[in-house]
């Protein structure tokens, strides 16, 4: 996860989509993290995807980008920011014990996010996870989708340890 977080920061720096705020040396970026179990050719696969969530306080709008870089082709900043990355893709049986085989790796990776990444403008970027499961995280995120009495949206904040 830490490597993916650093890749997001590097790519977003290279695309010049960060809003430069000289008053802030620390910002928070939300990562949408979701997993799904799918069948491909009668085999069960476990996949986990990660993507940044667009935040107009952290990223330029399309209009601001066009104003800042008039010589460049117009872009969809939100689309660039929210491009997902594959985190885990593996074959897994449908038994709980098989699906839990990825848990230790995920727990270790999640703890690594406590260390912020640093952008080119020397801003600390702290990642906050929003965790989803199933086929449609966009629907769950947008509508706080419920199944029964369980809300399938979770925010993970890691306490700072000394």
């Amino acid at each position: 996860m830490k490597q993916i977080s650093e890749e997001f920061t590097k790519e977003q720096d290279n695309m010049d989509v960060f809003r430069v705020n000289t008053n802030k040396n620390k910002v928070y970026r939300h990562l949408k993290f979701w997993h799904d179990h799918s069948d491909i050719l009668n085999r069960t696969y476990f996949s986990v995807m990660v993507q940044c969530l667009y935040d107009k306080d952290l990223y330029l709008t399309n209009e601001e980008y066009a104003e800042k870089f008039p010589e460049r082709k117009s872009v969809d900043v939100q689309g660039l920011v929210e491009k997902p990355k594959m985190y885990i893709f593996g074959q897994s049986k449908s038994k709980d014990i098989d699906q839990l085989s990825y848990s230790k790796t995920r727990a270790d990776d999640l703890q690594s996010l406590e260390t912020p990444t640093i952008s080119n403008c020397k801003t600390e970027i702290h990642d906050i996870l929003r965790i989803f499961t199933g086929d449609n995280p966009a629907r769950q995120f947008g509508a706080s989708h419920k199944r029964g009495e369980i809300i399938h949206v979770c925010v993970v904040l890691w306490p700072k340890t000394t």
Side-chain angles (χ1 to χ4, degrees), residues 55-78:
D55 180 352
K56 66 179 180 175
D57 293 333
L58 182 58
Y59 303 105
L60 299 173
T61 63
N62 293 345
E63 294 78 19
E64 291 169 331
Y65 187 89
E67 246 179 63
K68 187 173 180 180
F69 304 106
E71 71 284 356
R72 294 184 187 175
K73 185 175 136 183
S74 64
V75 296
D76 175 15
V77 175
Q78 183 174 356

PDB file of all heavy atoms in Angstrom, residues 55-78:
ATOM      1  N   ASP A  55     -10.831  15.560  -4.498  1.00  0.00           N
ATOM      2  CA  ASP A  55     -11.208  16.552  -3.489  1.00  0.00           C
ATOM      3  C   ASP A  55     -10.789  17.912  -4.027  1.00  0.00           C
ATOM      4  O   ASP A  55      -9.592  18.158  -4.257  1.00  0.00           O
ATOM      5  CB  ASP A  55     -10.488  16.239  -2.173  1.00  0.00           C
ATOM      6  CG  ASP A  55     -10.818  17.208  -1.055  1.00  0.00           C
ATOM      7  OD1 ASP A  55     -11.489  18.241  -1.311  1.00  0.00           O
ATOM      8  OD2 ASP A  55     -10.398  16.951   0.074  1.00  0.00           O
ATOM      9  N   LYS A  56     -11.751  18.799  -4.237  1.00  0.00           N
ATOM     10  CA  LYS A  56     -11.428  20.097  -4.848  1.00  0.00           C
ATOM     11  C   LYS A  56     -10.525  20.950  -3.960  1.00  0.00           C
ATOM     12  O   LYS A  56      -9.916  21.898  -4.444  1.00  0.00           O
ATOM     13  CB  LYS A  56     -12.707  20.852  -5.207  1.00  0.00           C
ATOM     14  CG  LYS A  56     -13.528  21.265  -4.022  1.00  0.00           C
ATOM     15  CD  LYS A  56     -14.764  22.019  -4.450  1.00  0.00           C
ATOM     16  CE  LYS A  56     -15.517  22.392  -3.177  1.00  0.00           C
ATOM     17  NZ  LYS A  56     -16.644  23.210  -3.428  1.00  0.00           N
ATOM     18  N   ASP A  57     -10.417  20.629  -2.678  1.00  0.00           N
ATOM     19  CA  ASP A  57      -9.488  21.362  -1.813  1.00  0.00           C
ATOM     20  C   ASP A  57      -8.050  20.894  -1.997  1.00  0.00           C
ATOM     21  O   ASP A  57      -7.113  21.601  -1.650  1.00  0.00           O
ATOM     22  CB  ASP A  57      -9.888  21.209  -0.338  1.00  0.00           C
ATOM     23  CG  ASP A  57     -11.206  21.887  -0.020  1.00  0.00           C
ATOM     24  OD1 ASP A  57     -11.556  22.866  -0.722  1.00  0.00           O
ATOM     25  OD2 ASP A  57     -11.889  21.442   0.905  1.00  0.00           O
ATOM     26  N   LEU A  58      -7.861  19.710  -2.536  1.00  0.00           N
ATOM     27  CA  LEU A  58      -6.527  19.141  -2.722  1.00  0.00           C
ATOM     28  C   LEU A  58      -6.064  19.213  -4.178  1.00  0.00           C
ATOM     29  O   LEU A  58      -4.880  19.371  -4.444  1.00  0.00           O
ATOM     30  CB  LEU A  58      -6.525  17.681  -2.240  1.00  0.00           C
ATOM     31  CG  LEU A  58      -5.224  16.906  -2.288  1.00  0.00           C
ATOM     32  CD1 LEU A  58      -4.127  17.590  -1.470  1.00  0.00           C
ATOM     33  CD2 LEU A  58      -5.438  15.491  -1.773  1.00  0.00           C
ATOM     34  N   TYR A  59      -7.021  19.126  -5.113  1.00  0.00           N
ATOM     35  CA  TYR A  59      -6.684  19.086  -6.529  1.00  0.00           C
ATOM     36  C   TYR A  59      -7.299  20.269  -7.275  1.00  0.00           C
ATOM     37  O   TYR A  59      -8.328  20.809  -6.859  1.00  0.00           O
ATOM     38  CB  TYR A  59      -7.200  17.790  -7.172  1.00  0.00           C
ATOM     39  CG  TYR A  59      -6.681  16.547  -6.511  1.00  0.00           C
ATOM     40  CD1 TYR A  59      -7.481  15.789  -5.676  1.00  0.00           C
ATOM     41  CD2 TYR A  59      -5.362  16.136  -6.709  1.00  0.00           C
ATOM     42  CE1 TYR A  59      -7.002  14.645  -5.060  1.00  0.00           C
ATOM     43  CE2 TYR A  59      -4.879  15.001  -6.098  1.00  0.00           C
ATOM     44  CZ  TYR A  59      -5.698  14.254  -5.271  1.00  0.00           C
ATOM     45  OH  TYR A  59      -5.212  13.131  -4.666  1.00  0.00           O
ATOM     46  N   LEU A  60      -6.678  20.635  -8.388  1.00  0.00           N
ATOM     47  CA  LEU A  60      -7.214  21.686  -9.245  1.00  0.00           C
ATOM     48  C   LEU A  60      -8.517  21.225  -9.893  1.00  0.00           C
ATOM     49  O   LEU A  60      -8.724  20.032 -10.094  1.00  0.00           O
ATOM     50  CB  LEU A  60      -6.212  22.017 -10.357  1.00  0.00           C
ATOM     51  CG  LEU A  60      -4.839  22.544  -9.933  1.00  0.00           C
ATOM     52  CD1 LEU A  60      -3.930  22.648 -11.156  1.00  0.00           C
ATOM     53  CD2 LEU A  60      -4.973  23.883  -9.246  1.00  0.00           C
ATOM     54  N   THR A  61      -9.374  22.167 -10.222  1.00  0.00           N
ATOM     55  CA  THR A  61     -10.553  21.848 -11.030  1.00  0.00           C
ATOM     56  C   THR A  61     -10.116  21.858 -12.497  1.00  0.00           C
ATOM     57  O   THR A  61      -9.012  22.324 -12.832  1.00  0.00           O
ATOM     58  CB  THR A  61     -11.677  22.884 -10.826  1.00  0.00           C
ATOM     59  OG1 THR A  61     -11.201  24.158 -11.277  1.00  0.00           O
ATOM     60  CG2 THR A  61     -12.095  22.966  -9.362  1.00  0.00           C
ATOM     61  N   ASN A  62     -10.972  21.386 -13.392  1.00  0.00           N
ATOM     62  CA  ASN A  62     -10.655  21.405 -14.824  1.00  0.00           C
ATOM     63  C   ASN A  62     -10.388  22.828 -15.310  1.00  0.00           C
ATOM     64  O   ASN A  62      -9.461  23.064 -16.086  1.00  0.00           O
ATOM     65  CB  ASN A  62     -11.795  20.792 -15.639  1.00  0.00           C
ATOM     66  CG  ASN A  62     -11.965  19.322 -15.375  1.00  0.00           C
ATOM     67  OD1 ASN A  62     -11.100  18.663 -14.802  1.00  0.00           O
ATOM     68  ND2 ASN A  62     -13.097  18.787 -15.783  1.00  0.00           N
ATOM     69  N   GLU A  63     -11.188  23.780 -14.836  1.00  0.00           N
ATOM     70  CA  GLU A  63     -11.048  25.177 -15.246  1.00  0.00           C
ATOM     71  C   GLU A  63      -9.732  25.761 -14.739  1.00  0.00           C
ATOM     72  O   GLU A  63      -9.029  26.470 -15.477  1.00  0.00           O
ATOM     73  CB  GLU A  63     -12.228  26.015 -14.736  1.00  0.00           C
ATOM     74  CG  GLU A  63     -13.567  25.646 -15.348  1.00  0.00           C
ATOM     75  CD  GLU A  63     -14.192  24.383 -14.747  1.00  0.00           C
ATOM     76  OE1 GLU A  63     -13.812  23.969 -13.619  1.00  0.00           O
ATOM     77  OE2 GLU A  63     -15.046  23.782 -15.422  1.00  0.00           O
ATOM     78  N   GLU A  64      -9.387  25.474 -13.489  1.00  0.00           N
ATOM     79  CA  GLU A  64      -8.124  25.974 -12.934  1.00  0.00           C
ATOM     80  C   GLU A  64      -6.929  25.372 -13.663  1.00  0.00           C
ATOM     81  O   GLU A  64      -5.936  26.060 -13.907  1.00  0.00           O
ATOM     82  CB  GLU A  64      -8.038  25.645 -11.434  1.00  0.00           C
ATOM     83  CG  GLU A  64      -9.020  26.430 -10.586  1.00  0.00           C
ATOM     84  CD  GLU A  64      -9.114  25.899  -9.167  1.00  0.00           C
ATOM     85  OE1 GLU A  64      -8.897  24.683  -8.949  1.00  0.00           O
ATOM     86  OE2 GLU A  64      -9.425  26.712  -8.266  1.00  0.00           O
ATOM     87  N   TYR A  65      -7.029  24.105 -14.014  1.00  0.00           N
ATOM     88  CA  TYR A  65      -5.948  23.442 -14.749  1.00  0.00           C
ATOM     89  C   TYR A  65      -5.764  24.114 -16.106  1.00  0.00           C
ATOM     90  O   TYR A  65      -4.643  24.399 -16.520  1.00  0.00           O
ATOM     91  CB  TYR A  65      -6.256  21.956 -14.909  1.00  0.00           C
ATOM     92  CG  TYR A  65      -5.111  21.164 -15.499  1.00  0.00           C
ATOM     93  CD1 TYR A  65      -4.138  20.604 -14.682  1.00  0.00           C
ATOM     94  CD2 TYR A  65      -4.996  20.984 -16.874  1.00  0.00           C
ATOM     95  CE1 TYR A  65      -3.074  19.883 -15.217  1.00  0.00           C
ATOM     96  CE2 TYR A  65      -3.945  20.260 -17.417  1.00  0.00           C
ATOM     97  CZ  TYR A  65      -2.990  19.711 -16.588  1.00  0.00           C
ATOM     98  OH  TYR A  65      -1.942  19.011 -17.113  1.00  0.00           O
ATOM     99  N   ALA A  66      -6.873  24.376 -16.803  1.00  0.00           N
ATOM    100  CA  ALA A  66      -6.809  25.021 -18.118  1.00  0.00           C
ATOM    101  C   ALA A  66      -6.235  26.432 -18.006  1.00  0.00           C
ATOM    102  O   ALA A  66      -5.466  26.875 -18.868  1.00  0.00           O
ATOM    103  CB  ALA A  66      -8.192  25.061 -18.752  1.00  0.00           C
ATOM    104  N   GLU A  67      -6.575  27.160 -16.938  1.00  0.00           N
ATOM    105  CA  GLU A  67      -6.032  28.502 -16.716  1.00  0.00           C
ATOM    106  C   GLU A  67      -4.537  28.456 -16.410  1.00  0.00           C
ATOM    107  O   GLU A  67      -3.773  29.280 -16.900  1.00  0.00           O
ATOM    108  CB  GLU A  67      -6.742  29.131 -15.500  1.00  0.00           C
ATOM    109  CG  GLU A  67      -7.598  30.309 -15.819  1.00  0.00           C
ATOM    110  CD  GLU A  67      -8.278  30.833 -14.565  1.00  0.00           C
ATOM    111  OE1 GLU A  67      -7.582  31.284 -13.629  1.00  0.00           O
ATOM    112  OE2 GLU A  67      -9.518  30.781 -14.533  1.00  0.00           O
ATOM    113  N   LYS A  68      -4.139  27.505 -15.589  1.00  0.00           N
ATOM    114  CA  LYS A  68      -2.741  27.394 -15.163  1.00  0.00           C
ATOM    115  C   LYS A  68      -1.843  26.920 -16.301  1.00  0.00           C
ATOM    116  O   LYS A  68      -0.683  27.321 -16.398  1.00  0.00           O
ATOM    117  CB  LYS A  68      -2.647  26.424 -13.980  1.00  0.00           C
ATOM    118  CG  LYS A  68      -1.281  26.354 -13.347  1.00  0.00           C
ATOM    119  CD  LYS A  68      -1.307  25.503 -12.076  1.00  0.00           C
ATOM    120  CE  LYS A  68       0.068  25.418 -11.432  1.00  0.00           C
ATOM    121  NZ  LYS A  68       0.068  24.605 -10.224  1.00  0.00           N
ATOM    122  N   PHE A  69      -2.371  26.056 -17.165  1.00  0.00           N
ATOM    123  CA  PHE A  69      -1.590  25.494 -18.266  1.00  0.00           C
ATOM    124  C   PHE A  69      -2.329  25.690 -19.593  1.00  0.00           C
ATOM    125  O   PHE A  69      -2.823  24.727 -20.192  1.00  0.00           O
ATOM    126  CB  PHE A  69      -1.339  23.995 -18.035  1.00  0.00           C
ATOM    127  CG  PHE A  69      -0.663  23.692 -16.728  1.00  0.00           C
ATOM    128  CD1 PHE A  69      -1.370  23.128 -15.677  1.00  0.00           C
ATOM    129  CD2 PHE A  69       0.684  23.966 -16.552  1.00  0.00           C
ATOM    130  CE1 PHE A  69      -0.751  22.853 -14.470  1.00  0.00           C
ATOM    131  CE2 PHE A  69       1.320  23.694 -15.346  1.00  0.00           C
ATOM    132  CZ  PHE A  69       0.604  23.133 -14.303  1.00  0.00           C
ATOM    133  N   PRO A  70      -2.414  26.920 -20.091  1.00  0.00           N
ATOM    134  CA  PRO A  70      -3.173  27.160 -21.337  1.00  0.00           C
ATOM    135  C   PRO A  70      -2.555  26.481 -22.559  1.00  0.00           C
ATOM    136  O   PRO A  70      -3.259  26.213 -23.532  1.00  0.00           O
ATOM    137  CB  PRO A  70      -3.135  28.689 -21.477  1.00  0.00           C
ATOM    138  CG  PRO A  70      -1.996  29.138 -20.638  1.00  0.00           C
ATOM    139  CD  PRO A  70      -1.819  28.133 -19.559  1.00  0.00           C
ATOM    140  N   GLU A  71      -1.256  26.182 -22.505  1.00  0.00           N
ATOM    141  CA  GLU A  71      -0.587  25.548 -23.654  1.00  0.00           C
ATOM    142  C   GLU A  71      -0.860  24.047 -23.714  1.00  0.00           C
ATOM    143  O   GLU A  71      -0.619  23.419 -24.736  1.00  0.00           O
ATOM    144  CB  GLU A  71       0.929  25.803 -23.591  1.00  0.00           C
ATOM    145  CG  GLU A  71       1.685  25.051 -22.492  1.00  0.00           C
ATOM    146  CD  GLU A  71       1.513  25.609 -21.066  1.00  0.00           C
ATOM    147  OE1 GLU A  71       0.850  26.643 -20.881  1.00  0.00           O
ATOM    148  OE2 GLU A  71       2.043  24.975 -20.140  1.00  0.00           O
ATOM    149  N   ARG A  72      -1.386  23.472 -22.644  1.00  0.00           N
ATOM    150  CA  ARG A  72      -1.654  22.032 -22.620  1.00  0.00           C
ATOM    151  C   ARG A  72      -3.081  21.732 -23.071  1.00  0.00           C
ATOM    152  O   ARG A  72      -3.972  22.569 -22.971  1.00  0.00           O
ATOM    153  CB  ARG A  72      -1.469  21.476 -21.203  1.00  0.00           C
ATOM    154  CG  ARG A  72      -0.044  21.542 -20.718  1.00  0.00           C
ATOM    155  CD  ARG A  72       0.070  20.884 -19.371  1.00  0.00           C
ATOM    156  NE  ARG A  72       1.389  21.073 -18.787  1.00  0.00           N
ATOM    157  CZ  ARG A  72       1.718  20.673 -17.573  1.00  0.00           C
ATOM    158  NH1 ARG A  72       0.836  20.040 -16.812  1.00  0.00           N
ATOM    159  NH2 ARG A  72       2.927  20.888 -17.105  1.00  0.00           N
ATOM    160  N   LYS A  73      -3.266  20.510 -23.512  1.00  0.00           N
ATOM    161  CA  LYS A  73      -4.594  20.033 -23.895  1.00  0.00           C
ATOM    162  C   LYS A  73      -5.466  19.961 -22.640  1.00  0.00           C
ATOM    163  O   LYS A  73      -4.987  19.621 -21.555  1.00  0.00           O
ATOM    164  CB  LYS A  73      -4.418  18.645 -24.523  1.00  0.00           C
ATOM    165  CG  LYS A  73      -5.650  18.031 -25.077  1.00  0.00           C
ATOM    166  CD  LYS A  73      -5.281  16.721 -25.766  1.00  0.00           C
ATOM    167  CE  LYS A  73      -6.302  15.679 -25.384  1.00  0.00           C
ATOM    168  NZ  LYS A  73      -6.011  14.370 -25.940  1.00  0.00           N
ATOM    169  N   SER A  74      -6.750  20.258 -22.765  1.00  0.00           N
ATOM    170  CA  SER A  74      -7.643  20.191 -21.600  1.00  0.00           C
ATOM    171  C   SER A  74      -7.767  18.744 -21.131  1.00  0.00           C
ATOM    172  O   SER A  74      -7.729  17.809 -21.937  1.00  0.00           O
ATOM    173  CB  SER A  74      -9.011  20.777 -21.921  1.00  0.00           C
ATOM    174  OG  SER A  74      -9.643  20.007 -22.904  1.00  0.00           O
ATOM    175  N   VAL A  75      -7.897  18.571 -19.828  1.00  0.00           N
ATOM    176  CA  VAL A  75      -7.970  17.234 -19.246  1.00  0.00           C
ATOM    177  C   VAL A  75      -9.115  17.168 -18.239  1.00  0.00           C
ATOM    178  O   VAL A  75      -9.588  18.187 -17.744  1.00  0.00           O
ATOM    179  CB  VAL A  75      -6.652  16.840 -18.524  1.00  0.00           C
ATOM    180  CG1 VAL A  75      -5.502  16.749 -19.486  1.00  0.00           C
ATOM    181  CG2 VAL A  75      -6.342  17.781 -17.394  1.00  0.00           C
ATOM    182  N   ASP A  76      -9.532  15.960 -17.944  1.00  0.00           N
ATOM    183  CA  ASP A  76     -10.496  15.706 -16.883  1.00  0.00           C
ATOM    184  C   ASP A  76      -9.678  15.383 -15.631  1.00  0.00           C
ATOM    185  O   ASP A  76      -9.218  14.254 -15.453  1.00  0.00           O
ATOM    186  CB  ASP A  76     -11.406  14.546 -17.262  1.00  0.00           C
ATOM    187  CG  ASP A  76     -12.366  14.144 -16.158  1.00  0.00           C
ATOM    188  OD1 ASP A  76     -12.550  14.915 -15.198  1.00  0.00           O
ATOM    189  OD2 ASP A  76     -12.933  13.042 -16.243  1.00  0.00           O
ATOM    190  N   VAL A  77      -9.465  16.385 -14.774  1.00  0.00           N
ATOM    191  CA  VAL A  77      -8.610  16.219 -13.602  1.00  0.00           C
ATOM    192  C   VAL A  77      -9.155  15.123 -12.694  1.00  0.00           C
ATOM    193  O   VAL A  77      -8.411  14.260 -12.225  1.00  0.00           O
ATOM    194  CB  VAL A  77      -8.457  17.551 -12.833  1.00  0.00           C
ATOM    195  CG1 VAL A  77      -7.667  17.341 -11.551  1.00  0.00           C
ATOM    196  CG2 VAL A  77      -7.779  18.588 -13.712  1.00  0.00           C
ATOM    197  N   GLN A  78     -10.452  15.120 -12.464  1.00  0.00           N
ATOM    198  CA  GLN A  78     -11.036  14.091 -11.604  1.00  0.00           C
ATOM    199  C   GLN A  78     -10.777  12.699 -12.167  1.00  0.00           C
ATOM    200  O   GLN A  78     -10.441  11.772 -11.443  1.00  0.00           O
ATOM    201  CB  GLN A  78     -12.532  14.320 -11.405  1.00  0.00           C
ATOM    202  CG  GLN A  78     -13.149  13.317 -10.450  1.00  0.00           C
ATOM    203  CD  GLN A  78     -14.595  13.618 -10.123  1.00  0.00           C
ATOM    204  OE1 GLN A  78     -15.152  14.628 -10.552  1.00  0.00           O
ATOM    205  NE2 GLN A  78     -15.216  12.755  -9.349  1.00  0.00           N
TER     206      GLN A  78
END
